[in-house]
Amino acid sequence: LLYAQLEKPIFGSDGLTWTQLIGSILHVVGVLYAGWLIRSILTYFIFPKSNVSVGARYAILAILRYIVIAFAVVFALSALGIDTSSFGWFFGEAGVGIGFGLHDVIGNFISGLIMLIERQIRVGDWVTIGEATGTGEAIHMRGTTLRTFDNTTVLIPNRLLLGERVTNLTHGVRRKRRR
């Protein structure tokens, strides 16, 4: 008797039923709870034991939040009986837009990987890149950090290190020059 009442449409004679609405809500709650659980595990168990910077932690958690919200929306729509395969074109176009938007980031990331493999510049090397001269402090995903001689930090995108002239004054030399 209760099941028959739950299968009746909420509005009109055809459409959304109570079962679909309750299922949709339970799907959203389940996905949000799973996201909260993953976020808590990362925040309290994984990140404290790892050497992940605060900025990287924030970025990881923000991306996770967006993914969880997207899954919650898709699960809710499918539980409501809406065909989510029709949204494929939207996600495809969004992927193309994201690809164009992240073109430089991906280029810098790949360049950083090449630099780490080739090791043409290492942390501690004295280098000149364009107009910046200093000591290499770190090679990150997006760029390389130089500490100049007037104690300022310069972030140089990694793709420039592969495309421009780079002078490494201490590469392969055990002793370093003094200024």
Side-chain angles (χ1 to χ4, degrees), residues 119-147:
R119 298 185 54 87
Q120 296 297 320
I121 298 175
R122 298 179 184 157
V123 173
D125 283 354
W126 182 13
V127 295
T128 300
I129 304 165
E131 296 180 11
T133 300
T135 304
E137 274 197 345
I139 300 172
H140 298 287
M141 238 174 58
R142 192 173 66 87
T144 298
T145 306
L146 289 183
R147 174 73 59 185

Side-chain angles (χ1 to χ4, degrees), residues 4-25 27 75-82:
Q5 291 295 328
L6 291 176
E7 284 300 314
K8 287 185 178 178
I10 296 174
F11 303 108
S13 61
D14 195 26
L16 181 67
T17 65
W18 287 104
T19 305
Q20 290 174 324
L21 182 63
I22 292 169
S24 175
I25 292 170
H27 277 88
F75 284 146
L77 291 175
S78 64
L80 288 173
I82 298 172

Side-chain angles (χ1 to χ4, degrees), residues 104 107-108 111-112 115 142 156-164:
D104 286 339
N108 285 325
S111 299
M115 287 175 42
R142 192 173 66 87
I156 300 173
N158 285 333
R159 62 183 166 77
L160 293 179
L161 297 175
L162 294 180
E164 285 192 11

Side-chain angles (χ1 to χ4, degrees), residues 37-165:
L37 187 64
I38 293 169
R39 185 179 176 100
S40 297
I41 290 170
L42 286 172
T43 302
Y44 297 111
F45 297 108
I46 305 294
F47 288 154
K49 294 178 182 176
S50 66
N51 195 16
V52 179
S53 69
V54 175
R57 291 178 188 189
Y58 178 79
I60 290 168
L61 293 176
I63 291 170
L64 177 66
R65 180 174 47 245
Y66 296 136
I67 291 171
V68 166
I69 289 171
F71 273 115
V73 168
V74 169
F75 284 146
L77 291 175
S78 64
L80 288 173
I82 298 172
D83 183 20
T84 55
S85 64
S86 61
F87 293 112
W89 64 269
F90 172 75
F91 291 115
E93 293 297 321
V96 170
I98 290 170
F100 280 124
L102 294 177
H103 179 269
D104 286 339
V105 173
I106 293 170
N108 285 325
F109 175 71
I110 299 297
S111 299
L113 288 178
I114 292 170
M115 287 175 42
L116 289 171
I117 292 169
E118 289 184 352
R119 298 185 54 87
Q120 296 297 320
I121 298 175
R122 298 179 184 157
V123 173
D125 283 354
W126 182 13
V127 295
T128 300
I129 304 165
E131 296 180 11
T133 300
T135 304
E137 274 197 345
I139 300 172
H140 298 287
M141 238 174 58
R142 192 173 66 87
T144 298
T145 306
L146 289 183
R147 174 73 59 185
T148 64
F149 297 113
D150 57 352
N151 204 25
T152 59
T153 302
V154 178
L155 178 67
I156 300 173
N158 285 333
R159 62 183 166 77
L160 293 179
L161 297 175
L162 294 180
E164 285 192 11
R165 180 179 175 169

